[in-house]
Amino acid sequence: MTDLLCCKGCGTTKPGPTGDPTDLFPSEHCGDCPPWRCDGCEQMCSMAAPCDCWLRLDAIPLADVKALFAQDGTFNITPISEEER
């Protein structure tokens, strides 16, 4: 069996399916990648230290995360302003 590419950034592979999204589509970057320059803001970025333009969903209540994704029916996420909360 051929190893599965699970990261385009550093070329990390895995020996077989693990049940995560990289079974179907390799991620752009992973925790093994060296820091890279962000396409959005040009700052240095890594999985351990994301740049300022990343929106961290783990720090937002679940209802607000759902609202972000439901806003316009696409995956184009913009932060919710304090007025919209």
Side-chain angles (χ1 to χ4, degrees), residues 25-80:
F25 304 100
S27 64
E28 293 295 321
H29 297 284
C30 72
D32 294 331
C33 285
W36 64 90
R37 190 159 303 281
C38 175
D39 292 336
C41 68
E42 299 294 317
Q43 291 181 23
M44 291 308 291
C45 188
S46 72
M47 295 304 277
C51 62
D52 293 336
C53 72
W54 280 36
L55 178 62
R56 293 197 51 150
L57 300 179
D58 61 343
I60 300 174
L62 182 57
D64 290 340
V65 172
K66 289 179 180 180
L68 284 172
F69 284 102
Q71 226 170 15
D72 63 0
T74 70
F75 285 104
N76 296 327
I77 300 174
T78 56
I80 295 175

